[in-house]
Amino acid sequence: MPFFSISGSEFVEMFVGMGAARVRDLFKQAQEKAPCIVFIDEIDAIGKKRDNSGVGGNDEREQTLNQLLTEMDGFDSSKGVVILAATNRPETLDKALLRPGRFDRRIPVELPDLKGREAILRVHAAQIKLGAQIDFNAIARATSGASGAELANIVNEAALLAVRNYRSAVIQSDLEEAVETVIAGYQRKGAVISDQEKRIVAYHEIGHALVAARQQHSAPVHKITIIPRTSGALGYTMQVDEDERVLMSREEAFNKIATLTGGRAAEELIFSSITTGASNDIEQATRIARAMVTRYGMSENFDMMALETVSNPYLGGDTALACSSETASRVDAEVLATIRRAHEKASSILKDNEAKLHELAAYLLEKETITGEEFMEILDRE
Ligand code: ZN
C-alpha cells in the first residue's frame, strides 16, 4: 500500500499558513490513496507543547499543530489510513496529540538487549559474506549499550577490514576488531610512543584489570591492549559482562568506581607520579558516584531523597539538580568521599598484588594485546 513519509521539520515553513496548508494537502492525498500509511518523522518539530510565552514566532508552528489535530479528528477510522509518528522526545509533545483518537498507542523503541543485539547483527550480517563459525553471541555481549545504528556500523566496519586484508569473507576477528574500532577508533599503527609512555600505559591498563579481577563482583576482563587508537586512547581494558544486567547493587557500583581508579592507582604505585591518561576514567567514575548519591539513594546521608531528576529518559538522559545549593555542596562532598574510598581500595588491592602487577605488565608490554584467558592464567599461576 502507499506509504507517505514526511519529516516534522518540513512542515515548518518561513511563511505563516504554509505549514497548515501542507498538513491539509498531506491528509487529502492520504484520503484519496487509502488504504495507506502516513509516517511523520521527528514529530516534535511541530508537536511541541503549546506555551503561552506570547512572543510571536511560534504562531506558524501552532497553526500547523492545530491543523494536524483537526485533520486527525475529522478522520474516518474505517477508511484504513494509519498514521504513525516518531520522536526522540516524547515528553515534549503536546498532550492533545496523545489523546485517544489521535496518537493513542505508544511504542517505546529502546536500546536493544543482548538478544536484540544478536538479532540485529544477524540482520546486517546477512548482507555481507561471512566465514564459517561466526559467534554473534560473543559480539553481542561485547557491545552492551550499542544502538542499532552502531551495530550496523560494526558489521560494515568488519566487511571493510576483511577487504583491506584481502579476504573474501568476514571472520570472527574482523568483527571483534570492528567492535573496538567503533568503540575506540582505528588502530594507529604508525604512532610513535616512547618506551617510558608504553610502560606507563601498560601498568595503567593492568591496574584496571587487576582491580576488576580481584573484586568479586566485577566482570572478568575480555581483552587488554596497549595499541594506540585514533580516538586518542593509548590502551584500554575491555570488560564484558557475562549476562545482561539491569540492576546494579551498591557494592557493584562501588567496585566499578574502584576499577576505574585502578589505572591511576597503578601509576602512583609504580612510578610515584601521575599522568593525564586517567581523564576518561575520572569522568566515568564521577558520573557513577554522583548517580549513586543523587539518583539511586545509595549514600549514607541522603537516604532515599531524589536530588536529581532525569528530564529526558531518552538520548542519554539529561539530569537536572533538584535541591538547594547548600545540599548541592554536601552532595559534592559525598561524591568525593565515595571516589576517594574506591581509590584507596584500588590502591590497596594493587599493593597486595604488586608482584602480579609487574608480571602482567611485562607480559602486556611484550604482547601488546592479551586476552582475558591469558590474563587470568598468569594471575592464577603460583
Ligand atoms: Zn584508564
Side-chain angles (χ1 to χ4, degrees), residues 45-195:
I46 48 169
K48 246 182 259 162
K49 281 187 192 87
R50 288 166 286 187
D51 51 23
N52 301 318
S53 58
V55 195
N58 275 342
D59 258 16
E60 167 62 359
R61 200 171 53 78
E62 259 177 45
Q63 278 193 26
T64 310
L65 175 58
N66 286 336
Q67 189 64 41
L68 181 65
L69 296 173
T70 316
E71 293 286 351
M72 288 182 85
D73 281 342
F75 233 54
D76 184 356
S77 53
S78 62
K79 269 224 154 165
V81 179
V82 174
I83 305 172
L84 293 172
T87 177
N88 282 318
R89 318 210 50 183
E91 76 287 349
T92 65
L93 292 182
D94 199 290
K95 289 278 174 290
L97 260 180
L98 307 173
R99 224 168 265 159
R102 289 171 183 157
F103 291 111
D104 45 13
R105 191 168 296 188
R106 261 168 284 177
I107 305 167
V109 181
E110 294 177 6
L111 285 178
D113 59 6
L114 180 60
K115 247 174 139 182
R117 288 197 301 277
E118 194 177 331
I120 291 170
L121 284 168
R122 281 180 195 280
V123 167
H124 291 294
Q127 287 156 29
I128 59 171
K129 236 168 128 187
L130 289 174
Q133 286 177 340
I134 297 286
D135 184 358
F136 285 107
N137 187 270
I139 305 298
R141 266 193 284 124
T143 48
S144 168
S147 67
E150 281 168 321
L151 294 170
N153 197 8
I154 285 169
V155 173
N156 191 28
E157 205 52 62
L160 290 175
L161 279 167
V163 172
R164 210 172 290 156
N165 290 306
Y166 308 104
R167 261 184 265 106
S168 57
V170 168
I171 58 175
Q172 185 76 12
S173 68
D174 291 328
L175 281 163
E176 275 167 16
E177 174 62 26
V179 171
E180 286 175 48
T181 304
V182 171
I183 293 173
Y186 290 94
Q187 284 189 4
R188 269 167 55 198
K189 288 253 170 61
V192 182
I193 306 176
S194 71
D195 284 349

Side-chain angles (χ1 to χ4, degrees), residues 204-205 208 235-237 259-260 262-264 267 277-282:
H204 179 107
E205 296 306 328
H208 283 306
Y236 67 90
T237 301
T259 298
L260 285 164
R264 165 67 64 90
E267 292 180 33
S279 62
N280 188 34
D281 303 333
I282 291 171

